Every structure is written in C-alpha cells, then in structure tokens.
C-alpha cells in the first residue's frame, strides 16, 4: 500500500520509483517544514504544470485524498473545492497561484487541515 501511495502522490519522471525518490518523498512528508510541504503540495497539485491550480485540479486532489483517507464528510468534494476558492482565490481569477495557495493554507484552518491530512502517513507507518 505504501508504494501505491508514494506512486500516486509522487509520480516518477521515468515511470519507475527508485529507492532515492521513495526516501526523498517520505522524508519530505514526515519531516519537512510547513513552508516546504506547502510549496511541494502546490507543485504536486498543479497537474498540468502551468503554475496555477484550477478548480478541476483541486477537485481531483480532494477526491483522491478522500478516497485514500476514507471517512464521512459534511460537504461534498465539489462544495469543499468551491469553498476553498471562495476563501483563498484572492484575485478571483479562478486559479490559485503559489502565493494564494500558501497564504490561504496558512490563514484557513479547514484548508490547512485537509492539506496536512492529505499526506499524513502516520496510519501507514503504524501498519509497518
């Protein structure tokens, strides 16, 4: 399961996860500083690499996080995504820049909680 988790959230450039990629990903998730994690999450969530996260990208990430972590949620993934954009898309352009993403996560507790849980490996490490 851990390999699948790393593969999903840390897709390798060459189609294979080598040992160093695996260790680097786990190290960042387990011991990285908040600023590093948020910047890395942004890069990870910016699927098309255009320097912004749009609603569709964030929605897919929220759905994936919920699929991995399970549990009941008061709001749908769509509602949560809309709330995030309403709260942290400062310029209202429908995309989250790196600055909006980092500042938004710092200021919005609900969004920060989801970001931190998205790569919380404590339950996986406990199984190992």
């Amino acid at each position: 399961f851990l390999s699948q988790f790393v593969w999903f959230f840390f897709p390798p450039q060459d189609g294979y996860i080598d040992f160093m990629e695996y260790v680097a990903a786990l190290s960042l998730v387990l011991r990285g500083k908040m600023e590093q994690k948020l910047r890395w999450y942004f890069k990870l969530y910016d699927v098309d690499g255009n320097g912004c996260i749009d609603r569709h990208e964030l929605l897919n990430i929220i759905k994936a996080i919920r699929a991995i972590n399970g549990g009941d949620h008061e709001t749908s993934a769509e509602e949560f995504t809309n709330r995030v954009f309403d709260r942290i898309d400062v310029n209202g352009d429908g995309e989250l820049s790196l600055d909006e993403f980092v500042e938004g996560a710092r200021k919005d507790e609900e969004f920060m909680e989801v970001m931190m849980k998205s790569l919380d490996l404590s339950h996986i490490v406990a199984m190992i």
Side-chain angles (χ1 to χ4, degrees):
F1 177 78
L2 188 54
S3 295
Q4 293 171 345
F5 181 87
V6 171
W7 183 276
F8 179 80
F9 281 106
F10 303 87
Q13 300 299 325
D14 61 2
Y16 299 95
I17 297 175
D18 66 29
F19 181 72
M20 290 310 294
E21 288 172 327
Y22 192 78
V23 170
L26 289 177
S27 177
L28 176 63
V29 170
L30 294 174
R31 297 185 300 159
K33 294 182 179 181
M34 185 62 59
E35 178 80 17
Q36 291 172 309
K37 288 181 181 182
L38 289 172
R39 289 180 176 279
W40 184 80
Y41 292 160
F42 179 85
K43 185 177 177 184
L44 177 67
Y45 298 168
D46 179 17
V47 177
D48 62 10
N50 71 346
C52 300
I53 298 173
D54 62 32
R55 286 179 191 269
H56 183 71
E57 288 170 321
L58 185 61
L59 177 61
N60 285 337
I61 291 298
I62 299 303
K63 286 180 178 179
I65 291 168
R66 288 181 174 190
I68 289 170
N69 291 337
D72 294 326
H73 303 281
E74 293 178 18
T75 61
S76 70
E78 291 81 3
E79 290 170 325
F80 179 79
T81 300
N82 288 336
R83 257 199 307 205
V84 166
F85 271 85
D86 290 345
R87 291 177 183 169
I88 71 174
D89 182 14
V90 177
N91 64 7
D93 67 354
E95 297 180 324
L96 302 178
S97 67
L98 175 60
D99 290 339
E100 287 174 324
F101 182 85
V102 171
E103 281 303 305
R106 286 183 176 158
K107 292 178 180 176
D108 189 300
E109 287 184 32
E110 182 182 23
F111 184 56
M112 178 64 91
E113 182 181 339
V114 169
M115 293 301 98
M116 293 301 98
K117 284 184 177 179
S118 69
L119 294 176
D120 178 11
L121 297 179
S122 58
H123 63 287
I124 296 170
V125 172
M127 292 185 329
I128 297 173

